[in-house]
Amino acid sequence: MTPPKSPAGGLFAAPNSDRPLAERLRPAELADVVGQDHLLGGEGPLARMLANRKLASIVLWGPPGCGKTTIARLLAGAVGLEFVALSAVFSGVADLRKAFAEAVERRQMGKATLLFVDEIHRFNRGQQDGFLPYVEDGTVTLVGATTENPSFEVNAALLSRCQVLVLKRLDDATLETLLQKAEAAEGRKLPLTEDARGALLAMADGDGRYLYNLAEQVFQHRGAPFDTAALANAVQRRAPLYDKAQEGHYNLISALHKSMRGSDVDAALYWLARMLAGGEAPLYIVRRLVRFAVEDIGLADPQALVQALAAKDAYDFLGSPEGELAIMQAVAYLACAPKSNAVYVAASGANAAAKRTGSLMPPMHILNAPTALMKELGYGKDYAYDHDAPDGFSGQNYFPDKMAREIFYDPPDRGFEREIRKRLDYWAKLRARRTRDE
């Protein structure tokens, strides 16, 4: 007996099957894959490869549940390759050697191999190097799948032989399409209120497989439709997708930093909340706030650094969760503060000048002369004590004699640096006048 046809065009088992819903509704054709039209539709890179029936080695980079494994399997079928799958989590060197040996034998019989490696970033550098000769000579067409940025996790040599294709997180419209397919397969609507249905999509967090797992739990309910509160009690909501040691960590701290730099306090607070919800170490965040205070605010608001350090002290004193409010306060303060990178730029310029000028001595008049010999040699001669000047400013030169004066610190006319700008301009006028008088 032929199994019934799924709404997507593929085959699925009967509703009482023990197979998970996600497995029963796995697409049977590439046309059934949703949410990745930029790769599979029109002039997308995979569409072009399929049109030419020539598949290059590729790395599929995307979040969990976006279809990486399914696409790899269907690509093999579409171009007539033998599909062989390995997981870097469960496979070792012996498994790789066996897969390569079988691919060599298969090639001698005129059959090509698509080697799919899930979580390819988990193979170490040496194991990844082992792929190179087999990819180069065409023994295997490699399709690697990874949730991590391949530029960080995959060998450059291997990466140069593959095309990296980025899969998108499934949006709510795509997830809704998947829910409708699940309902068609089950022959009934999910027992959810409209608000609870939206909450279910949010819980899936862009992961189609996880959405199906949630829907499978909800389908087991036979009573009144779940509202949002009842749904939260009925299903286990997973922790946010956030790996503190991987790219998600750097993406979110970058989003926090740039939101504060852009003076968007609400966005900054949101990204901070995301990091805290994901389990980021609060003191790591505070260290980044201290850096932000000196790099992006500096003397435009000297209190910014004080606020950042106070957040650290408050968190140390209160602990979590009360101390996290101090971090929230610091983020809000830094986001609202006037911004300036003038000190940061000045530091870069001064460092470059220090390296360029080598070991030039300070001018003699600003050197101390603790011995008679040093006085005889001219140490400290003609030094002008600034406090003796009528306006407390001598205007002497403090750069090396063989180095022209340079301007490193150029504060903008905003925040507290507006006042500093006035002082610098005033001193520059005095310095120029006394230089002319000399």
Side-chain angles (χ1 to χ4, degrees):
M1 177 177 177
T2 303
K5 197 80 170 176
S6 77
L11 301 179
F12 64 90
N16 62 355
S17 170
D18 290 334
R19 296 166 64 212
L21 184 63
E23 185 63 28
R24 286 187 273 144
L25 294 181
R26 186 183 291 275
E29 301 173 1
L30 284 167
D32 302 334
V33 176
V34 295
Q36 309 302 337
D37 290 345
H38 64 295
L39 300 179
L40 293 164
E43 290 297 311
L46 289 179
R48 292 197 303 271
M49 291 182 196
L50 293 173
N52 296 325
R53 293 193 61 79
K54 185 173 179 59
L55 188 65
S57 289
I58 58 178
V59 173
L60 299 175
W61 173 27
C66 65
K68 297 185 291 295
T69 304
T70 295
I71 288 174
R73 186 181 298 276
L74 295 178
L75 284 174
V79 296
L81 301 181
E82 183 76 14
F83 182 80
V84 176
L86 291 176
S87 169
V89 177
F90 301 109
S91 303
V93 174
D95 301 294
L96 287 175
R97 288 175 177 167
K98 180 181 178 182
F100 292 140
E102 292 176 348
V104 170
E105 293 178 2
R106 206 175 287 118
R107 189 183 190 189
Q108 292 171 347
M109 294 185 291
K111 182 71 173 177
T113 302
L114 185 152
L115 178 61
F116 173 69
V117 181
D118 197 18
E119 305 289 349
I120 191 171
H121 63 277
R122 293 185 181 272
F123 276 136
N124 63 38
R125 299 285 177 176
Q127 291 169 320
Q128 291 181 29
D129 283 340
F131 287 92
L132 294 176
Y134 301 99
V135 172
E136 285 181 338
D137 68 8
T139 299
V140 299
T141 296
L142 175 66
V143 177
T146 178
T147 57
E148 303 298 334
N149 189 328
S151 61
F152 296 150
E153 305 296 339
V154 179
N155 276 8
L158 182 57
L159 206 57
S160 69
R161 291 160 176 80
C162 300
Q163 185 173 349
V164 176
L165 302 180
V166 181
L167 279 74
K168 295 181 179 178
R169 175 184 182 275
L170 302 186
D171 59 22
D172 283 354
T174 302
L175 293 175
E176 174 61 31
T177 298
L178 296 182
L179 276 190
Q180 292 174 11
K181 290 183 179 183
E183 290 172 330
E186 292 290 323
R188 61 193 179 97
K189 298 284 289 183
L190 280 161
L192 296 169
T193 66
E194 184 176 350
D195 287 345
R197 191 179 185 93
L200 189 72
L201 297 179
M203 289 178 182
D205 198 15
D207 185 333
R209 180 173 53 248
Y210 189 64
L211 177 71
Y212 279 145
N213 292 341
L214 291 173
E216 197 158 30
Q217 295 180 58
V218 175
F219 273 129
Q220 296 172 7
H221 177 66
R222 296 289 178 175
F226 284 132
D227 59 16
T228 302
L231 174 66
N233 290 329
V235 298
Q236 290 186 347
R237 183 173 183 174
R238 80 176 161 188
L241 288 175
Y242 182 71
D243 188 336
K244 290 180 286 182
Q246 302 297 338
E247 196 199 3
H249 163 86
Y250 298 105
N251 286 345
L252 265 62
I253 194 63
S254 176
L256 172 61
H257 195 120
K258 290 181 173 64
S259 298
M260 292 190 297
R261 179 182 291 158
S263 300
D264 191 332
V265 62
D266 298 308
L269 291 172
Y270 167 76
W271 292 118
L272 172 61
R274 281 278 302 274
M275 295 184 76
L276 292 173
E280 183 59 79
L283 289 180
Y284 167 78
I285 299 174
V286 174
R287 283 195 295 272
R288 293 299 297 248
L289 298 186
V290 171
R291 172 187 167 182
F292 181 87
V294 296
E295 179 180 329
D296 285 275
I297 297 175
L299 293 177
D301 184 349
Q303 284 297 311
L305 180 57
V306 176
Q307 285 283 331
L309 292 172
K312 181 259 185 189
D313 290 340
Y315 185 81
D316 280 342
F317 186 60
L318 295 175
S320 184
E322 293 85 355
E324 291 168 4
L325 183 58
I327 302 176
M328 288 280 187
Q329 175 177 312
V331 165
Y333 188 97
L334 299 181
C336 295
K339 306 302 186 297
S340 169
N341 71 341
V343 172
Y344 181 78
V345 172
S348 298
N351 287 334
K355 293 177 181 178
R356 185 177 68 251
T357 56
S359 55
L360 290 178
M361 285 287 292
M364 296 291 282
H365 61 268
I366 64 172
L367 298 180
N368 289 331
T371 69
L373 175 62
M374 295 172 76
K375 288 180 180 178
E376 291 176 7
L377 293 174
Y379 280 59
K381 183 181 179 182
D382 297 326
Y383 171 63
Y385 188 55
D386 288 80
H387 295 293
D388 289 341
D391 43 21
F393 181 80
S394 70
Q396 281 196 310
N397 176 51
Y398 299 100
F399 279 92
D401 290 332
K402 295 183 179 181
M403 178 180 174
R405 180 176 187 81
E406 295 188 35
I407 295 177
F408 302 122
Y409 180 48
D410 186 21
D413 189 26
R414 58 178 176 268
F416 182 72
E417 282 185 306
R418 181 181 292 112
E419 297 302 317
I420 297 177
R421 175 83 269 168
K422 293 177 183 177
R423 299 175 194 175
L424 292 178
D425 291 343
Y426 172 67
W427 291 327
K429 290 177 182 178
L430 291 181
R431 186 180 294 112
R433 183 186 309 157
R434 288 171 188 177
T435 300
R436 286 196 304 269
D437 293 342
E438 292 175 359

